[in-house]
Amino acid sequence: MSRLDSFIRRLEAQRRCLEHVVRLVAELPGPVFELGLGNGRTFDHLRGICPHREIFVFERRVAAHPDCVPDPEHLFEGPLEISLPRARQRFGATIPMIHADLGSGNFELDQRTSVYLATQLPGLLCPAGIVLSDQPLPYSAAEQLALPPEVESGRYHLYRAA
Ligand SMILES: C[S@@+](CC[C@H](N)C(=O)[O-])C[C@H]1O[C@@H](n2cnc3c(N)ncnc32)[C@H](O)[C@@H]1O
C-alpha cells in the first residue's frame, strides 16, 4: 500500500468512526468535545453531522482555517493539562462523546498524552458516553468497542464508559 493509500484509509476510518459514534450516542444529551483542532477538518465534519449539539474544542494553539475555528465560548485554548481540569469543573461527567485526535507522530509524547487523557476521562464522560481516539488509551475502566465493519483493526480506538 502506498503512503497515499494509507493516508486516505486513515481519514476514511476517522470519518466512519465519527459517524458511527454520533449514531451510538444519539439518545444521550450533552455537548461533544473535540480534542485537537489542528486544521479543523474533523471539527468541521462534526458540526455537519451533529448540528444540534454544542461542540467544545480543545487546542494548544489555534492555527486552523478561519472558517473552522469555533467561537470563543466554545474554545479551550492552551494545553489539555490546564483546560481539561477546567472543563471537568464546569461540566462534570456529562459528556456523551469525546473525539481525541491528538497524535503528533512522536511515540513517547503521544503515549504521555494518552496516559494523561485516560486519567481525565472518568470525570468527563457521562454513563455510556464514548471516547474515540486516534491513539490507544489506557482506560481500563471502560469497555473497548468494536470498530465499524469497514474499518481496519487498530486504525481507531473506541471506549464506552460504564
Ligand atoms: C492531528 S492534529 C488534529 C487534527 C484535526 N482533528 C483535524 O482534523 O484537522 C493534533 C492537534 O492536537 C493538538 N494537541 C496535541 N496535544 C495537545 C495538548 N496536550 N494540549 C492541547 N492541544 C494538543 C495539537 O496542537 C494539534 O493541533
Side-chain angles (χ1 to χ4, degrees):
M1 188 192 311
S2 71
R3 291 179 68 88
L4 177 63
D5 289 331
S6 175
F7 180 67
I8 290 168
R9 284 201 190 182
R10 186 169 66 74
L11 295 187
E12 280 178 348
Q14 188 174 49
R15 183 178 57 190
R16 287 198 170 113
C17 290
L18 285 169
E19 293 174 359
H20 180 61
V21 173
V22 165
R23 283 193 294 273
L24 290 179
V25 302
E27 301 302 319
L28 301 176
V32 169
F33 279 9
E34 164 81 337
L35 312 184
L37 178 66
N39 293 320
R41 282 187 295 246
T42 50
F43 168 61
D44 191 36
H45 195 66
L46 272 171
R47 62 186 175 181
I49 60 175
C50 39
H52 304 301
R53 290 198 193 264
E54 280 190 287
I55 304 174
F56 290 91
V57 174
F58 296 73
E59 172 56 53
R60 186 188 302 279
R61 194 177 61 80
V62 172
H65 187 279
D67 285 353
C68 296
V69 176
D71 60 66
E73 289 73 35
H74 291 87
L75 177 64
F76 286 79
E77 191 164 10
L80 291 176
E81 293 73 9
I82 291 175
S83 57
L84 282 183
R86 285 191 184 145
R88 286 178 60 178
Q89 279 191 339
R90 177 169 162 193
F91 294 94
T94 65
I95 308 304
M97 174 173 174
I98 298 176
H99 176 225
D101 188 16
L102 297 165
S104 65
N106 176 328
F107 178 74
E108 287 176 7
L109 174 63
D110 291 346
Q111 268 202 325
R112 280 203 301 277
T113 305
S114 295
V115 168
Y116 174 72
L117 177 57
T119 67
Q120 299 300 300
L121 291 171
L124 287 168
L125 283 173
C126 67
I130 296 176
V131 57
L132 66 157
S133 171
D134 66 325
Q135 305 293 316
L137 301 175
Y139 185 18
S140 52
E143 172 196 6
Q144 182 147 21
L145 299 180
L147 296 171
E150 315 82 1
V151 177
E152 220 175 294
S153 162
R155 286 223 176 242
Y156 238 69
H157 309 273
L158 276 56
Y159 306 87
R160 179 157 53 200

